[in-house]
Amino acid sequence: MIQIRTAAASDGEQIYQLHLRAFGGRKEESELVERIRVSDGYVPELSLVAVEEETGEVVGHALISKAAVYDLDQPTEVLVLAPIGVDPAYQRQGIGGHLIREGLSRAEALGFKLVLLIGHPSYYPRFGFEPAGLHGLVLMQFVVPDEVFMVRELAPGELVRMRDERKGTVGELKYPQTFFA
Ligand SMILES: CC(C)(COP(=O)(O)OP(=O)(O)OC[C@H]1O[C@@H](n2cnc3c(N)ncnc32)[C@H](O)[C@@H]1OP(=O)(O)O)[C@@H](O)C(=O)NCCC(=O)NCCS
């Protein structure tokens, strides 16, 4: 059985190794998790692990942390989902989906209003994510195809509210410096 729970400090090494496996041996995502964990944007309840109950092995991890959408110089706090990884031996069993749904539900309960991400356009729409560009949001820090930049409302009406406040101009998602260090 797989259990989803809040990541503990003692899970750090297992989470690092898990992302190495999930991302085919590259270190970027593992190191990103370590940097976010010691940053201002870290929300402990939104770092979730999927654990094999019998062995205690971490087989999945999703991290949702703080970023901001800027209208000129005015920031609005939002969340970003990155990274998420599931051990290749455990993929396509619904674990990624459980981590995402639990993360979104916790984020909503904590009062956050929007979650953005860069990800597979065939995967995230099932969790309610839509192309962010449709809502007047742009991403300048990374050059990516439009359809991989997605947003999910946690508070109904938030996207319209933000757009009205900007008087129809674009809002730019800026990932914190933590993502680039
Ligand atoms: C993406 C990932 C987290 C999904 O976790 P998971 O536990 O396998 O996902 P679920 O079981 O909830 O959902 C399975 C569905 O995910 C989709 N999916 C999985 N990997 C995908 C990929 N690389 N591209 C597009 N869709 C993918 C498939 O549609 C699959 O559905 P299917 O079995 O009907 O084909 C996992 O595959 C992973 O760790 N991949 C490597 C790391 C990665 O790419 N992370 C995400 C970066 S955006």
Side-chain angles (χ1 to χ4, degrees), residues 31-67:
E31 291 181 351
L32 175 60
V33 172
E34 303 238 298
R35 292 200 302 275
I36 294 174
R37 194 169 48 216
V38 294
S39 77
D40 290 346
Y42 185 57
V43 184
E45 301 94 320
L46 301 182
S47 178
L48 296 173
V49 284
V51 178
E52 175 65 76
E53 272 180 332
E54 279 183 15
T55 60
E57 187 190 1
V58 170
V59 299
H61 176 244
L63 185 53
I64 301 178
S65 60
K66 292 181 193 170

Side-chain angles (χ1 to χ4, degrees), residues 63-67 78-82 115-117 173 175-176 179:
L63 185 53
I64 301 178
S65 60
K66 292 181 193 170
V78 297
L79 293 172
V80 286
L81 169 58
V115 183
L116 292 103
L117 58 78
L173 172 65
Y175 284 84
F179 278 74

Side-chain angles (χ1 to χ4, degrees), residues 91-157:
Q91 288 177 9
R92 307 211 154 192
Q93 297 175 26
I95 296 172
H98 275 124
L99 286 167
I100 293 169
R101 288 197 180 89
E102 177 66 16
L104 293 175
S105 145
R106 287 183 178 206
E108 185 179 343
L110 288 169
F112 291 101
K113 294 175 176 165
L114 285 188
V115 183
L116 292 103
L117 58 78
I118 299 170
H120 305 297
S122 59
Y123 185 51
Y124 294 97
R126 69 190 75 177
F127 308 109
F129 285 88
E130 303 171 75
L134 294 179
H135 298 281
L137 299 173
V138 296
L139 181 65
M140 317 279 269
Q141 292 167 315
F142 301 97
V143 178
V144 293
D146 289 349
E147 65 272 21
V148 307
F149 175 42
M150 288 175 267
V151 64
R152 159 71 144 81
E153 236 175 22
L154 300 171

